[in-house]
Amino acid sequence: MSIDAQALFELLPAIHRVRDAELAAEQGLERGPLEELIAVFAEQIAVMDESLEQLHDDLFIETCADWVVPYIGRLIGFETLHGVVPKVASPRALVAHTIALRRRKGTALVLEQLARDVTGWDARAVEYFQRLGTTQYMNHLRPDNLQVPSLRDGEALEWLGTAFDSSNRTADLRRIESGRGRHNIPNVGLHLWRIGAHPRREVPALRAGERRYRVSPLGHDLPLYNRPHAEDDISHLAEADNVPWPLSRRRLASSLARHYGDDLAEPSLSLAIDGVPVARNAIRICNLSDDGAGWAHSPPPDGLVAIDPQLGRISLAADLPDPAELRVRWHEGFPAEIGGGEYERGDSLPTPAGTVLQVPDQQPTISAALAALAGDGVVEITDSGRYEENLVIDVAADATIEIRAANGRRPALVLSGLTVAGGDNATCRLNGLLVAGAPLEVPAAGDNRLARLEIVHCTLVPGIALAPDGTPQLPAAASLLLGPATLATDIERSIVGAIRGHERAVVSARDSFIDATARSGVALAAADDASPGPILSLTACTVIGQIHCSEIGLVSNSILFAAGTAAAGAPVRAARRQVGCVRFSWLPWASVVPARHRCQPAAAADADRIAPQFTSRRYGTPAYGQLGSATADEILRGADDDGEMGGYHLLHAAAREANLRIRLAEYLRVGLAAGIFHES
């Protein structure tokens, strides 16, 4: 029902409406007193009408308000999980699927859907008792139950050891709950993908030679991921296309129509040469590995474009014109929404009060936009392009300069220099950027009184830039040079390299990585790499490299992954230890820091056993900074909320697994055992 003031007023007798119009004319008003009163009535009736509609919507789990979800759940006996479910999964989906799950209790379909709903990760359930090699009964032959896999089936061989392994094995008597045993009669495995596929839209490929390109804007080899297809029906068991996987050459070549092309709603991969999409029939998937000074199978035959998804390389045929621009849509594997990315970060993009200049829509370059702002305003980059410039940011007194990417964009700033200065009470803010080529420098020389530097959702590449093989080009170089003693630097959900700064400056970081590229490198110190550096506070961060700070404010839920001995100056040390605290964190036993509270290792004897085991410590790889499953529980569940320490604390991985085990006890059939395995 729709009610407005005019429609309600028209229902009154004409004599009252005429008299009200006369009163309005006498008093010089737009509306008479009666019409004003009716407008108030109409407003309240509209509120009641909206409330009645919401009450009707609250009868259904799909449309009800969020606060109604647990009440509907209790009507069907649903018990809410403790911890952080609203942060990582949808409580609405958990309740909505409850009845359907109970009807199919104990089946692989239910366990798979349960794993997706509870953890928020992509999942696949595997009934390992169906993958046992057995002696067959001659009256009930199973032709697919082969003891030896076919060596001619290359695609099946690629899946060996994964959740999609179709080969049969002999019985494994170890317990599946421990994660060691798999193939046995009562066993069901739940395979989870912790690395997601993050979209990169319309990104210019980096030229690596004549008609040769790399997908990565940093110019290194990296695997391309598929975009997982959503499952529409609970009765469907996940297939390879439903989970995030690195695209192999063989799989992409055999299923190119499912992954490539602008005719797909959300393709995993597509190319456009000078704005013209490349047709699917012009694409060939092949191996473009290094072959001497060039690439193997490059250039491809006439009229074709070759793609290597495992290396992220592209080669054009010799008869094609050398394009001015090659743009690529692809997906990158990464564990979390940290650093520069095209993920949702609208909460960090408030509407600015001052001037906003858009690049390249209003200004062609970032430098031109900064010059036009004259020290106060916002530069918003509206594409995911590559900007090769030398930036000098000069912030006016009592003003703020922000350089940010628009929501859903990740521009790459490959700079020859990045210098920031400002007047009294000035602030510089970077948001959503990928920065390489030069460190961010805040010089102490001159009259630089910049008060605050904020780095949010950014990546300042550790090692400044990456070589084609992914190794840092300048592994010992710092990414942040903080000169002024009065500067306060705030880092949030970002990845940065080593930091150098004045001992009275302040550096605080949350949900971030500070990476000196090596455990023996110097992650934080003064400009001479040896004297005490800034006052340091960390919350849920991972620091790779040694720390020498003047003072520790608070370090909580963090991993300080450094190597060294007390005799050599201690890998983590604070010059002033009378203040500050280190709590619920891992740091080397030889560290010299203020009071420790429930830190690991708790004793020197545990130093070897309780240590972080990283899947990868090299930036540019999909599993960068991820703790491996072999890491001790004291680290995986050692934070103050029983979560994992380090930069991925915000993923609440331990709580996801704990909640899944709680649900498994409810939905697993008697006699079956379930194990949880991380596929990535």
Side-chain angles (χ1 to χ4, degrees):
M1 182 171 62
S2 177
I3 296 178
D4 56 41
Q6 188 60 37
L8 198 61
F9 186 65
E10 293 292 340
L11 298 176
L12 294 177
I15 186 172
H16 297 304
R17 288 185 276 119
V18 171
R19 179 56 181 156
D20 190 60
E22 292 175 353
L23 290 175
E26 291 174 2
Q27 300 176 14
L29 301 175
E30 183 179 352
R31 296 191 299 183
L34 182 58
E35 190 174 357
E36 292 282 357
L37 179 61
I38 293 299
V40 174
F41 287 159
E43 182 180 351
Q44 297 307 311
I45 291 173
V47 172
M48 293 173 59
D49 185 40
E50 182 179 356
S51 178
L52 289 173
E53 290 181 356
Q54 183 60 51
L55 287 174
H56 180 269
D57 292 341
D58 287 344
L59 296 175
F60 309 97
I61 187 63
E62 294 86 356
T63 57
C64 68
D66 290 340
W67 67 270
V68 183
V69 170
Y71 292 95
I72 295 179
R74 292 305 297 270
L75 290 176
I76 58 175
F78 175 85
E79 294 294 336
T80 57
L81 294 171
H82 67 275
V84 293
V85 171
K87 299 180 181 179
V88 300
S90 169
R92 189 185 301 271
L94 290 172
V95 174
H97 291 155
T98 296
I99 294 178
L101 295 179
R102 287 176 180 168
R103 287 174 178 170
R104 299 176 174 88
K105 181 176 180 179
T107 64
L109 295 170
V110 162
L111 298 179
E112 181 178 287
Q113 185 64 50
L114 194 69
R116 288 177 180 268
D117 288 348
V118 172
T119 66
W121 286 322
D122 290 308
R124 174 178 167 85
V126 179
E127 296 172 315
Y128 278 108
F129 51 81
Q130 294 187 0
R131 291 290 170 227
L132 284 171
T134 59
T135 302
Q136 300 193 40
Y137 178 46
M138 297 303 294
N139 289 339
H140 181 60
L141 295 178
R142 298 166 60 193
D144 294 332
N145 191 6
L146 303 176
Q147 293 282 12
V148 180
S150 173
L151 299 183
R152 293 185 177 89
D153 191 350
E155 186 169 352
L157 293 175
E158 282 193 355
W159 294 122
L160 287 176
T162 72
F164 303 99
D165 186 352
S166 59
S167 61
N168 298 303
R169 312 294 177 89
T170 55
D172 189 342
L173 300 183
R174 293 174 296 182
R175 294 175 57 84
I176 194 172
E177 293 93 332
S178 67
R180 300 176 66 192
R182 294 195 185 189
H183 295 80
N184 205 348
I185 293 174
N187 289 354
V188 178
L190 292 173
H191 296 256
L192 305 175
W193 277 259
R194 297 185 296 169
I195 294 179
H198 300 271
R200 304 287 180 251
R201 302 179 181 90
E202 309 304 327
V203 179
L206 182 62
R207 186 182 178 91
E210 186 177 1
R211 297 181 178 84
R212 295 189 300 180
Y213 294 85
R214 284 187 171 92
V215 170
S216 168
L218 299 176
H220 71 296
D221 296 331
L222 84 172
L224 310 183
Y225 274 63
N226 72 301
R227 185 190 71 84
H229 295 278
E231 296 180 75
D232 299 327
D233 190 357
I234 194 175
S235 63
H236 178 268
L237 201 61
E239 300 173 357
D241 287 347
N242 303 122
V243 295
W245 275 107
L247 289 167
S248 73
R249 302 178 183 110
R250 185 187 301 272
R251 292 199 302 273
L252 183 57
S254 63
S255 59
L256 189 62
R258 295 204 304 269
H259 296 291
Y260 179 89
D262 288 336
D263 57 330
L264 302 177
E266 286 290 337
S268 299
L269 180 64
S270 66
L271 305 180
I273 297 178
D274 291 335
V276 179
V278 179
R280 186 181 297 121
N281 57 13
I283 297 295
R284 292 296 181 271
I285 308 302
C286 65
N287 186 344
L288 297 177
S289 301
D290 290 332
D291 184 12
W295 292 354
H297 309 112
S298 178
D302 290 351
L304 300 179
V305 176
I307 300 177
D308 187 339
Q310 295 180 207
L311 298 176
R313 297 182 178 185
I314 302 170
S315 177
L316 277 61
D319 67 328
L320 295 177
D322 204 4
E325 184 179 61
L326 173 63
R327 287 191 175 265
V328 189
R329 175 183 291 189
W330 54 289
H331 288 72
E332 182 176 6
F334 205 71
E337 294 178 343
I338 291 178
E342 297 185 9
Y343 51 83
E344 174 60 40
R345 50 186 179 81
D347 293 343
S348 68
L349 299 172
T351 303
T355 305
V356 179
L357 293 179
Q358 293 183 333
V359 176
D361 301 340
Q362 296 173 319
Q363 295 288 341
T365 64
I366 302 173
S367 299
L370 289 172
L373 286 177
D376 187 12
V378 175
V379 177
E380 184 173 78
I381 305 173
T382 59
D383 65 0
S384 296
R386 179 183 171 93
Y387 294 84
E388 300 182 11
E389 303 184 39
N390 181 20
L391 297 184
V392 178
I393 305 173
D394 193 358
V395 190
D398 300 314
T400 298
I401 285 285
E402 179 179 12
I403 302 178
R404 71 188 193 187
N407 201 12
R409 297 290 183 267
R410 188 194 70 166
L413 277 58
V414 183
L415 307 175
S416 58
L418 176 56
T419 305
V420 183
D424 292 330
N425 200 29
T427 299
C428 179
R429 179 180 172 92
L430 305 180
N431 190 337
L433 308 176
L434 173 64
V435 182
L440 189 160
E441 182 177 4
V442 184
D447 193 23
N448 190 356
R449 298 182 181 179
L450 187 74
R452 190 171 183 83
L453 175 65
E454 298 178 1
I455 300 173
V456 184
H457 294 291
C458 286
T459 297
L460 275 63
V461 176
I464 305 299
L466 299 183
D469 62 356
T471 57
Q473 289 189 355
L474 300 172
S479 291
L480 285 171
L481 304 175
L482 311 175
T486 57
L487 179 63
T489 302
D490 189 22
I491 303 170
E492 181 178 355
R493 294 187 72 163
S494 296
I495 299 170
V496 302
I499 301 173
R500 302 290 182 267
H502 195 280
E503 64 175 344
R504 292 198 300 274
V506 177
V507 173
S508 60
R510 296 181 302 279
D511 300 318
S512 298
F513 286 78
I514 301 174
D515 186 359
T517 72
R519 190 177 180 183
S520 58
V522 180
L524 185 138
D528 60 2
D529 291 357
S531 303
I535 301 170
L536 180 65
S537 293
L538 302 172
T539 302
C541 292
T542 296
V543 181
I544 299 176
Q546 298 181 0
I547 296 175
H548 190 188
C549 59
S550 58
E551 180 182 314
I552 286 179
L554 175 65
V555 173
S556 178
N557 298 340
S558 296
I559 294 175
L560 311 182
F561 195 67
T565 62
V572 178
R573 58 193 185 274
R576 294 186 292 274
R577 298 185 294 279
Q578 299 85 356
V579 296
C581 177
V582 182
R583 59 190 296 274
F584 297 97
S585 298
W586 186 94
L587 66 165
W589 177 253
S591 300
V592 180
V593 295
R596 305 190 195 196
H597 176 68
R598 299 185 67 175
C599 290
Q600 299 295 339
D606 294 331
D608 292 334
R609 181 181 66 86
I610 304 175
Q613 304 292 326
F614 291 99
T615 307
S616 172
R617 298 206 310 265
R618 195 179 74 186
Y619 173 74
T621 57
Y624 171 72
Q626 185 185 70
L627 290 175
S629 301
T631 304
D633 276 353
E634 287 87 346
I635 297 175
L636 293 177
R637 294 171 176 81
D640 56 8
D641 58 356
D642 295 330
E644 74 174 45
M645 302 174 180
Y648 292 137
H649 175 266
L650 78 171
L651 293 178
H652 306 285
R656 298 190 197 204
E657 289 192 24
N659 287 335
L660 178 56
R661 296 185 188 278
I662 292 172
R663 280 288 182 256
L664 285 176
E666 179 181 351
Y667 283 92
L668 200 63
R669 284 182 177 176
V670 176
L672 294 183
I676 298 175
F677 304 96
H678 294 148
E679 284 292 321
S680 62

